[in-house]
Amino acid sequence: MAAVNRDNEEEVKTDDGSPKIKPRPIVRLGIFLIAHSPVFSVVFSAAGVLALLLLPLLAKNTYISENALMPGSARSMLSNRDVSDGSKLVKDIKNFRLNHEGQGVEVQKLIGKYMSDMGAEVSYQKFHPEGNQFHPLHFFSGPDSYTLLENVSCASYGVNVAGIIRAPRGDGKESIVLVTPYDFINGGDYEDLSLGIVSSLFSLLSRVTWLSKDIIWLVADSRYGDYRPVAAWLTEYHSPSFKVSDLLKCDEQNTADNFRRAGTMAAALVLKVDGRSEKFEDTLSIYAEASNGQMPNLDLINVVNYLAVHRQGFYVKVEKVVSLLSSSWLKIFGEIFEAVGKLAHMLNPDWNFGIPAADYLEGSATLASSLYSQALGIPTGPHGAFRDYQVDAITLKVSPRFPPDSKTRQHDFFLRGARLLEGTIRSVNNLLEKFHQSFFLYMLTSPSKFISVGVYMIAFALLVAPLPMVAASLYIDGCKSLTNSTDNPTENFKSWKWLDAAKQVFTLHLFGFIVTLLPYFICQVPGQHSPTNRSIMWGTTSSSLLLITFVTMPGCSPFSSRLHGTNWAILKSVTISAAFIGLCLMSIINFATAEIGALLLVPTCLMAQPIKPALRSRRLKSLLGAFCSIVLLTIGFPVMFFAISKGLLGEGLVGLSLGGEFWTWLESLWAWKSATYLYIGMVHLPCWLLCLCILFHPS
Amino acid sequence: MAEEETYMFWIWAMASTIFRLFLIFFFPENINLSSRPELSTPLTSLRRLAEGYWLKQASLSPYAESMFHGSPLLLSILGPLTIQRIEGKSSHHLCSLVFVIADILSALLLRATGQKLQKAFRLNLKRLGLLTSLHDRGILPCGDIAALVYLWNPFTILSCVGSSTSPIENLAVIVSLYGAVTRRVPLAAFGLIMAIHLSLYSATLAIPLIFLLGYGLDAPPIKKFLQTRHAGVETTGSTSDVSKQDKLTQTTQLFSWRTVLHFVFWVLVWSSCVLVLCSLSLKQYGGLEEMFKRTNGFILRIEDLSPNIGVFWYFFAEVFDFSRNYLLIVFNLYILLTGIPPLAFRLKHRPCFLAFAYLAFSSILKSYPSVGDAALYLSLRALFVNELTDMEHSCFIFCGYIGFSLLSPVMHNIWIWRGTGNANFYFGNAMGYACFQFMFVEKSVNAMLNHDQALKKATAEMFKNSAITAIF
């Protein structure tokens, strides 16, 4: 699209002097689009936003794409005996806890003993909870090996317990992982229930003959969060470090040699039990978003959803933004779409795209949550650690409808939970290859509805389509005005006029890059500093850097005299090109970030124009344009946008504490290796600054 | 003014060196640049070279197990450096220092070449009578520009820091060009032989070098101009013009066979030297035959199908075995026949530019290209800033280069680490990159031909004017 447009733009220019050849239709279309770029950019942007709003309507029902999975086709073999095994473990742990207050290691041993009694190979792994590390470019490298800290204290370390059942029909090259995060020191009653479910299942799986993939049950020590222990275990599993860790000396218990492995992982299920369900039924929430908006294969979610709904009678849900459910404007949209759908159905009974307004609201709220958690790039649970090794994993959070101490209901609950897991494992067990059949790039609007990449990309493509068009038309304008203004014969650089503007764009992107890396150095500053202090340090260093840039390179500054300044049309054209490249790159890395970023950046870039001529002319239209661009630029500043979005989410924030909040938020982004942080620093911030330069351009 | 410019040049050159050293010693280790397919190919990877050196130390053939495919001379020079460590640092640092030196040398030679070309450009304009004082100031110092483009090109910096041997290959090519431009025939021959020895595709450079030595530096096609001038001279018959024309005919000397024969002689001398040295170093391991099979044969037969930024690996991973040989012949002939003769006919009056066109063309259609090749031809392109001021689509092509070179690691990541993409993604990126390279070469050649046209038109017009004034 961009190529065609740009080609044509040059075509017009060269055709001026030489005898005119009639251009091809596609070229003429391009010229037409460029000539009317203001109209088309408004149309395309509006269409992009509309397409985003339409997405819940376009969601398709999920289906199981891989035939080999055959979920629910086999009768469940889980018996009451297995469930009573699970109940016994829970009871034992509770008793043990009552007797021995705060002795975590002993609980691990108890669980380990249970596992080995069932015939599993048990191994313990010690790990050290890592601190927040700043590696912003981590995205481009693979999962690195677990960095051993030099002087670790024995005071804080966790111990994972893993049991492996060898499959009677397997060759030990493939495995399925079950994870139960469990806090050994102060785990609550609900956490015990998750152990109960998995141990019931484990007891069954140690006896069955149909198993062809080994089963690993990992009881992750969740004292230091759910994610860290799983990530540490996975690193040890995939890339063992051959240095002797200091942790081994901390305890007499030798954990070094007995780390067990079971081949590549086909899938992983993380089970958590927490809270009481508000619904009448037991609730199952599915969390799937891993780091940088990566999702597990849709088939895995489909299998779980199918079994949970149609076999075990759970109420399945995925996360949604609750505040959107009551938003009136979205409701109006839903009603309009419903009415249009009904009208279309009346006109032609085959057109069935309308959905009820309530469904639309639900779908949009879920979609918004899906977009938000993908855009943040922070995994929504321990399953995120698996995705780094290309293992499909989801977290299942079950909320029972009974209080945790109700013995009578517990048995039934274990039975159903374990049957759900059994069915899922049986399906995955059938697979001969990795999950590949279904989608990896999708967004959920409900547990059984999804939007695939082919559909949601349309919204983004429409949104960014004006950028190359406007860039081309501005480029032509800029060239024309330059040739008119300079009659200097030495000015023979017909086609290299953009170099000055490119220099400015490059300088500001470099500035953005440095600002992105600054937190690394600020974190190295000795002493304890509050996030607010750190954010002030960051702000002052960045703004002084910006000032230095403007002083040393007069061409870059918006406040320089007219002599130094470049033509603003060409500057805007190059800025828009840079924004276009950045957004397209980001859409491949993390679509959701690019979509939200485009919603902010595209109008800002398109509206940006010098404010001085607008004020001078005093015409309503240009004043309105200037006002719009100022408003957009104010919203587009990352801190401002952060504050606004936080305010919308219902947390009032004012003053300096905002800086601290922003710093903490960014810290979470880079600690989770989110590419969104890079996007904000290296695409959004420079483009925003460039728009500011254009706004104050002395033309 | 000029002094200040040289001053600035040295400052920027120093800055680039410091920047390289900084990157070499402080680049985060976990972003392993030396394993990136864009930077190191099976031919240029330093890791493979280290492996080859280990094999040789263990009294095995360095070419065993299809790990190493480079030159045995480079192995003897760089090999010992790969196992030496500066304390606390990993072993590739010494080699990286060698690459930094190679880059600086290349830049200096490029600068000298550029100064020669700039002089020739001014002289030609003066001969044609187009050089006014205004114009004179507009001539850019293309040597400085080319050298800085070479030093600050991210591609060059990355391939220097990323432990690939392409800086040395580029140095050989630039040495040969420099030798030919300054008419140091033995140096030119040495550079050519080393370049061919390091990477086979540089053999195409022989044609521009012969033109350069035979016809002299880049100049507008004077013969064409003479024809238009003859027409003018006949009508006016003024004596001053006749003398001017004589001067012109003197400058368009014929092809100087002596220099070329001299060049051929030195090529033979250097190639025999290289062959003898290679056979000495590979005496126990199969000798020269093994070397040719493992280096040049490896290049031509496209044996390694690991992904790179070229367009062949994907294709040859997909073809049926029985048609493989046929397609190999077709593709190699395609490079040989479609690229080389037409350009040679069209651009024989501009041998340096021809060298640029060949290098760019071969870096697109190479079997194992890397961004180091792109760095070389981009900086050679900067030697012609004066001629190519009117290149079309320059902004668009520039954006395309940036976009595709940033997209490449992303596509690789999506395919290899995340598993959500597949080989098509990376190959699509490679195709797009190749398209932009093609467009760049095409637009450059077009701009050069247009430049010649414009010169011709300008001289013809000037003559018409002078003829008219002579009549009245």
Side-chain angles (χ1 to χ4, degrees):
Chain A
M1 184 73 188
V4 172
N5 286 345
R6 286 300 187 75
D7 267 13
N8 305 335
E9 154 230 322
E10 303 283 346
E11 206 85 24
V12 180
K13 220 169 47 177
T14 46
D15 279 358
D16 279 347
S18 54
K20 211 145 196 164
I21 316 156
K22 200 174 183 191
R24 280 165 292 163
I26 188 155
V27 175
R28 268 183 287 164
L29 179 69
I31 294 171
F32 181 72
L33 284 178
I34 290 167
H36 302 278
S37 64
V39 182
F40 281 113
S41 54
V42 170
V43 169
F44 276 125
S45 313
V49 176
L50 188 70
L52 187 64
L53 288 172
L54 274 176
L55 282 184
L57 251 67
L58 302 172
K60 281 187 286 188
N61 285 325
T62 52
Y63 54 94
I64 287 162
S65 183
E66 172 71 81
N67 288 327
L69 286 170
M70 298 191 290
S73 57
R75 202 171 48 82
S76 175
M77 293 169 73
L78 199 84
S79 63
N80 288 330
R81 202 190 103 194
D82 301 316
V83 176
S84 59
D85 276 357
S87 308
K88 189 160 165 287
L89 174 67
V90 174
K91 206 171 79 194
D92 282 0
I93 290 177
K94 274 183 185 162
N95 288 338
F96 191 86
R97 273 249 210 75
L98 281 178
N99 300 335
H100 310 76
E101 199 62 38
Q103 284 179 335
V105 182
E106 301 306 313
V107 181
Q108 290 144 15
K109 280 193 180 147
L110 185 73
I111 295 172
K113 194 173 151 289
Y114 256 85
M115 286 178 179
S116 57
D117 284 350
M118 290 174 201
E121 298 171 12
V122 185
S123 65
Y124 301 90
Q125 186 228 353
K126 287 182 191 167
F127 67 94
H128 193 271
E130 272 179 285
N132 282 351
Q133 281 177 336
F134 182 79
H135 20 215
L137 289 174
H138 183 95
F139 164 73
F140 283 109
S141 57
D144 55 357
S145 58
Y146 184 46
T147 42
L148 280 177
L149 302 169
E150 283 309 314
N151 23 344
V152 280
S153 60
C154 289
S156 62
Y157 67 93
V159 179
N160 291 327
V161 189
I164 300 174
I165 296 175
R166 298 292 170 188
R169 289 172 171 227
D171 49 6
K173 285 180 184 159
E174 283 181 304
S175 59
I176 302 169
V177 188
L178 290 166
V179 182
T180 44
Y182 185 76
D183 188 343
F184 291 109
I185 301 291
N186 34 17
D189 291 335
Y190 284 114
E191 283 193 332
D192 292 341
L193 291 184
S194 70
L195 285 185
I197 292 178
V198 179
S199 66
S200 312
L201 176 70
F202 215 59
S203 145
L204 166 76
L205 292 177
S206 59
R207 293 184 287 111
V208 294
T209 50
W210 44 260
L211 213 55
S212 63
K213 291 179 169 65
D214 297 348
I215 304 291
I216 307 176
W217 175 18
L218 173 70
V219 184
D221 191 348
S222 67
R223 252 177 300 171
Y224 308 105
D226 288 349
Y227 184 89
R228 293 263 176 249
V230 180
W233 182 77
L234 277 172
T235 326
E236 181 66 30
Y237 191 94
H238 287 103
S239 46
S241 62
F242 295 104
K243 269 198 270 177
V244 179
S245 164
D246 290 349
L247 282 176
L248 296 180
K249 299 167 199 150
C250 292
D251 201 354
E252 73 285 349
Q253 187 183 347
N254 189 14
T255 61
D257 322 326
N258 69 353
F259 193 88
R260 304 263 168 193
R261 291 183 179 77
T264 56
M265 299 169 186
L269 298 166
V270 183
L271 184 78
K272 287 168 85 172
V273 180
D274 78 341
R276 225 179 127 179
S277 172
E278 290 147 8
K279 298 267 172 183
F280 179 64
E281 307 125 300
D282 297 334
T283 312
L284 173 73
S285 323
I286 299 179
Y287 295 86
E289 287 88 1
S291 62
N292 282 320
Q294 300 178 78
M295 300 290 277
N297 197 294
L298 188 55
D299 266 348
L300 186 59
I301 296 179
N302 291 345
V303 168
V304 172
N305 182 44
Y306 177 84
L307 290 172
V309 173
H310 297 288
R311 291 287 183 274
Q312 307 306 332
F314 281 102
Y315 170 75
V316 182
K317 64 171 192 181
V318 283
E319 235 184 330
K320 53 186 138 201
V321 181
V322 185
S323 60
L324 275 183
L325 285 179
S326 53
S327 89
S328 51
W329 60 272
L330 207 59
K331 205 171 199 169
I332 294 170
F333 270 115
E335 272 155 12
I336 293 173
F337 289 143
E338 188 183 354
V340 171
K342 270 182 190 155
L343 189 72
H345 188 73
M346 259 158 55
L347 290 175
N348 184 346
D350 290 342
W351 292 343
N352 281 322
F353 55 81
I355 58 168
D359 282 6
Y360 176 80
L361 267 182
E362 287 270 324
S364 330
T366 319
L367 179 69
S369 160
S370 195
L371 256 178
Y372 174 74
S373 33
Q374 285 192 25
L376 267 191
I378 298 176
T380 45
H383 58 271
F386 285 94
R387 190 61 232 175
D388 288 345
Y389 298 91
Q390 294 192 23
V391 180
D392 297 295
I394 51 175
T395 296
L396 308 172
K397 206 177 262 178
V398 191
S399 314
R401 63 170 188 270
F402 60 87
D405 42 359
S406 146
K407 285 273 169 343
T408 45
R409 296 283 182 77
Q410 186 178 303
H411 184 270
D412 174 54
F413 180 66
F414 280 8
L415 196 69
R416 284 167 59 215
R419 276 189 176 158
L420 168 67
L421 291 181
E422 183 205 351
T424 314
I425 285 179
R426 201 151 187 183
S427 285
V428 178
N429 189 50
N430 288 339
L431 279 183
L432 289 179
E433 49 216 324
K434 276 176 67 175
F435 276 109
H436 68 278
Q437 194 79 19
S438 195
F439 294 91
F440 282 104
L441 304 168
Y442 59 90
M443 278 187 276
L444 291 173
T445 57
S446 84
S448 60
K449 280 194 161 188
F450 77 105
I451 307 162
S452 78
V453 55
V455 177
Y456 67 60
M457 266 294 180
I458 295 173
F460 178 74
L462 282 172
L463 203 55
V464 296
L467 292 182
M469 279 193 311
V470 173
S473 85
L474 277 174
Y475 186 75
I476 297 171
D477 289 352
C479 285
K480 269 186 196 150
S481 71
L482 264 191
T483 35
N484 290 342
S485 62
T486 55
D487 294 328
N488 197 346
T490 52
E491 187 68 61
N492 52 3
F493 281 84
K494 263 191 218 158
S495 74
W496 296 93
K497 281 172 210 131
W498 51 271
L499 267 183
D500 276 333
K503 207 165 75 186
Q504 185 168 354
V505 171
F506 174 74
T507 315
L508 283 178
H509 273 86
L510 194 68
F511 167 77
F513 178 68
I514 293 169
V515 169
T516 314
L517 290 188
L518 268 182
Y520 174 74
F521 300 104
I522 290 173
C523 289
Q524 308 281 321
V525 173
Q528 289 286 325
H529 296 281
S530 69
T532 316
N533 283 349
R534 286 193 199 275
S535 69
I536 290 171
M537 269 192 257
W538 194 20
T540 42
T541 31
S542 329
S543 39
S544 48
L545 254 177
L546 191 64
L547 267 182
I548 292 170
T549 320
F550 282 163
V551 169
T552 48
M553 305 189 114
C556 295
S557 156
F559 309 107
S560 62
S561 65
R562 189 184 293 218
L563 244 175
H564 285 299
T566 44
N567 183 299
W568 74 267
I570 290 196
L571 176 63
K572 187 173 166 182
S573 158
V574 179
T575 306
I576 288 178
S577 310
F580 180 68
I581 293 176
L583 284 173
C584 286
L585 271 180
M586 199 58 212
S587 76
I588 293 167
I589 297 171
N590 186 348
F591 170 79
T593 313
E595 176 72 47
I596 294 174
L599 281 176
L600 271 178
L601 203 55
V602 169
T604 318
C605 280
L606 290 182
M607 290 297 288
Q609 51 185 320
I611 198 170
K612 270 187 193 165
L615 290 179
R616 237 179 278 141
S617 72
R618 289 174 187 282
R619 289 214 330 267
L620 185 67
K621 195 179 148 200
S622 44
L623 281 177
L624 205 66
F627 176 72
C628 278
S629 58
I630 289 173
V631 169
L632 281 171
L633 271 172
T634 323
I635 298 174
F637 185 52
V639 183
M640 203 56 156
F641 183 66
F642 173 75
I644 290 171
S645 57
K646 279 282 167 188
L648 280 184
L649 293 178
E651 292 168 38
L653 280 164
V654 267
L656 274 181
S657 64
L658 177 65
E661 285 280 324
F662 187 61
W663 173 272
T664 325
W665 183 67
L666 282 186
E667 199 169 37
S668 73
L669 283 190
W670 77 65
W672 289 102
K673 294 146 198 168
S674 168
T676 307
Y677 176 68
L678 291 185
Y679 169 79
I680 293 173
M682 284 156 68
V683 180
H684 189 95
L685 184 69
C687 288
W688 180 81
L689 277 173
L690 283 164
C691 287
L692 208 64
C693 285
I694 295 167
L695 192 72
F696 293 114
H697 197 277
S699 60
Chain B
M1 183 76 182
E3 250 174 42
E4 195 185 321
E5 264 172 18
T6 26
Y7 188 58
M8 285 306 283
F9 168 77
W10 288 111
I11 285 180
W12 280 105
M14 285 299 293
S16 82
T17 316
I18 292 166
F19 184 59
R20 265 159 233 251
L21 292 177
F22 172 79
L23 282 186
I24 285 171
F25 287 104
F26 296 101
F27 204 72
E29 295 270 327
N30 61 348
I31 302 169
N32 197 354
L33 277 182
S34 57
S35 64
R36 296 237 46 106
E38 295 89 5
L39 297 179
S40 60
T41 64
L43 297 174
T44 62
S45 160
L46 193 68
R47 248 182 28 198
R48 285 172 181 253
L49 191 139
E51 187 75 21
Y53 186 70
W54 272 107
L55 287 173
K56 207 179 166 191
Q57 292 295 91
S59 301
L60 287 165
S61 162
Y63 295 118
E65 296 299 322
S66 185
M67 194 65 190
F68 176 62
H69 296 283
S71 118
L73 296 182
L74 209 61
L75 186 71
S76 322
I77 297 167
L78 287 182
L81 295 181
T82 54
I83 51 166
Q84 305 239 323
R85 283 163 185 269
I86 313 173
E87 69 275 14
K89 299 281 177 188
S90 62
S91 55
H92 62 82
H93 283 149
L94 271 178
C95 287
S96 298
L97 292 182
V98 175
F99 298 147
V100 173
I101 293 168
D103 268 357
I104 296 168
L105 269 180
S106 312
L108 294 182
L109 292 180
L110 261 180
R111 183 164 180 251
T113 314
Q115 281 163 349
K116 273 268 174 195
L117 284 175
Q118 189 188 342
K119 238 177 241 167
F121 178 69
R122 178 175 289 143
L123 202 71
N124 283 323
L125 282 189
K126 210 179 262 173
R127 267 189 208 147
L128 294 172
L130 290 174
L131 191 74
T132 54
S133 59
L134 260 178
H135 218 106
D136 193 20
R137 229 186 300 140
I139 293 179
L140 294 164
C142 56
D144 290 3
I145 292 176
L148 287 182
V149 165
Y150 187 76
L151 282 177
W152 278 104
N153 192 337
F155 289 168
T156 330
I157 293 175
L158 283 178
S159 49
C160 174
V161 175
S163 312
S164 106
T165 56
S166 43
I168 294 183
E169 288 173 18
N170 292 352
L171 176 66
V173 170
I174 290 173
V175 162
S176 71
L177 276 180
Y178 170 76
V181 165
T182 52
R183 305 194 78 77
R184 295 190 172 105
V185 177
L187 189 66
F190 174 72
L192 179 67
I193 289 302
M194 283 319 290
I196 294 175
H197 179 62
L198 291 176
S199 90
L200 183 67
Y201 290 94
S202 313
T204 51
L205 275 183
I207 299 168
L209 287 185
I210 287 172
F211 282 149
L212 202 53
L213 292 169
Y215 287 122
L217 282 177
D218 288 30
I222 291 188
K223 215 161 104 191
K224 261 192 195 167
F225 291 4
L226 282 182
Q227 287 166 358
T228 54
R229 228 165 248 223
H230 270 302
V233 170
E234 272 161 24
T235 48
T236 57
S238 98
T239 45
S240 64
D241 276 339
V242 171
S243 65
K244 215 176 191 177
Q245 188 214 337
D246 282 345
K247 224 165 71 190
L248 269 173
T249 18
Q250 275 162 21
T251 52
T252 57
Q253 350 130 294
L254 291 170
F255 194 70
S256 78
W257 284 105
R258 252 190 79 198
T259 330
V260 172
L261 284 178
H262 192 194
F263 177 68
V264 171
F265 166 72
W266 274 105
V267 164
L268 289 177
V269 170
W270 287 119
S271 52
S272 52
C273 282
V274 166
L275 287 181
V276 166
L277 283 176
C278 286
S279 65
L280 279 182
S281 88
L282 291 174
K283 207 163 52 189
Q284 304 114 7
Y285 316 117
L288 286 180
E289 193 194 340
E290 177 78 357
M291 183 189 86
F292 281 122
K293 215 167 81 189
R294 291 316 189 105
T295 55
N296 296 347
F298 180 75
I299 293 172
L300 292 178
R301 294 184 52 84
I302 314 181
E303 283 164 9
D304 191 317
L305 298 177
S306 56
N308 56 39
I309 51 172
V311 284
F312 285 167
W313 60 274
Y314 188 85
F315 191 81
F316 280 98
E318 299 285 323
V319 293
F320 293 116
D321 270 348
F322 58 82
S323 56
R324 189 182 156 90
N325 284 335
Y326 165 70
L327 288 168
L328 276 176
I329 294 168
V330 168
F331 277 109
N332 284 317
L333 277 185
Y334 179 77
I335 304 172
L336 208 63
L337 295 182
T338 57
I340 291 164
L343 283 173
F345 287 126
R346 204 74 179 82
L347 291 169
K348 67 168 181 285
H349 57 284
R350 290 196 178 274
C352 274
F353 188 74
L354 183 63
F356 151 75
Y358 279 173
L359 285 173
F361 198 74
S362 65
S363 96
I364 303 166
L365 293 176
K366 251 183 176 179
S367 40
Y368 312 103
S370 70
V371 292
D373 303 315
L376 177 65
Y377 76 72
L378 285 175
S379 50
L380 283 184
R381 163 68 181 69
L383 285 174
F384 305 97
V385 276
N386 286 313
E387 285 92 338
L388 302 182
T389 46
D390 299 341
M391 202 176 106
E392 288 169 357
H393 306 317
S394 52
C395 185
F396 176 52
I397 291 173
F398 182 75
C399 288
Y401 263 83
I402 288 185
F404 277 108
S405 33
L406 291 177
L407 200 58
S408 174
V410 173
M411 289 299 192
H412 192 258
N413 180 283
I414 277 183
W415 174 27
I416 301 293
W417 291 118
R418 293 193 181 188
T420 47
N422 52 36
N424 298 335
F425 285 52
Y426 193 68
F427 180 65
N429 184 62
M431 292 253 281
Y433 180 63
C435 280
F436 270 91
Q437 283 179 305
F438 259 122
M439 209 191 281
F440 179 70
V441 179
E442 193 248 312
K443 294 294 168 204
S444 301
V445 172
N446 247 347
M448 187 52 103
L449 296 177
N450 284 343
H451 173 73
D452 283 345
Q453 281 287 328
L455 279 186
K456 190 176 158 190
K457 227 184 240 171
T459 38
E461 213 150 85
M462 213 172 60
F463 255 81
K464 217 186 269 168
N465 289 345
S466 65
I468 289 166
T469 44
I471 287 169
F472 293 103

